[in-house]
Amino acid sequence: MDTARIAVVGAGVVGLSTAVCISKLVPRCSVTVISDKFTPDTTSDVAAGMLIPHTYSDTPIHTQKQWFRETFNHLFAIANSAEAGDAGVHLVSGIKGNGGWTLTRRIEDLWELHPSFDIVVNCSGLGSRQLAGDSKIFPNTFHFFLNMKNN
């Protein structure tokens, strides 16, 4: 069996999560995340549901630390409860431990990836309409392009 060559277009939370899931669920595959922007220059860096401490000049540091600690403890309790799945609160690693590749490249059309990849997963968010040539696409939809090999 040949190794499936899979491209994930987009390096936000959805693209990176999709790449990790594919690498875990699809045996013998090579996953490449392709994007013209990677962290910290993605929409996900400011819109993700991540707990990151920030500082506010008009609030004492000890108060900010207390807020962060209380928020973390609250979310940690939810993540370890039976309601974690329903609440959508999970502790996840930010490291892709299954291998894979990243490629910094601007894609103008998903079909330009056709000869190099067997499967292309569009996780480009706001860029989806242009890449797929379909103005009715919403950013939360995925498009899969399969390159069926003739054997």
Side-chain angles (χ1 to χ4, degrees), residues 8-30:
V8 176
V9 179
V13 168
V14 173
L16 295 176
S17 299
T18 299
V20 169
C21 288
I22 290 170
S23 69
K24 288 180 179 178
L25 297 174
V26 180
R28 296 185 46 92
C29 73
S30 172

Side-chain angles (χ1 to χ4, degrees), residues 12-14 17 43-52 54 71-72 75 87-92:
V13 168
V14 173
S17 299
T43 302
S44 295
D45 278 285
V46 292
M50 303 170 102
L51 180 59
I52 301 171
H54 296 279
T71 303
F72 178 83
L75 293 172
V89 177
H90 306 280
L91 295 175
V92 295

Side-chain angles (χ1 to χ4, degrees), residues 103-147:
L103 176 61
T104 303
R105 175 179 165 194
R106 181 167 182 79
I107 304 298
E108 299 296 333
D109 186 316
L110 292 173
W111 288 106
E112 67 190 70
L113 300 172
H114 174 71
S116 301
F117 295 95
D118 303 308
I119 301 171
V120 174
V121 184
N122 179 10
C123 298
S124 60
L126 297 173
S128 294
R129 289 179 178 159
Q130 179 183 356
L131 284 175
D134 185 346
S135 63
K136 295 179 183 178
I137 292 177
F138 289 94
N140 62 346
T141 60
F142 297 96
H143 281 88
F144 297 87
F145 290 86
L146 301 176
N147 176 12

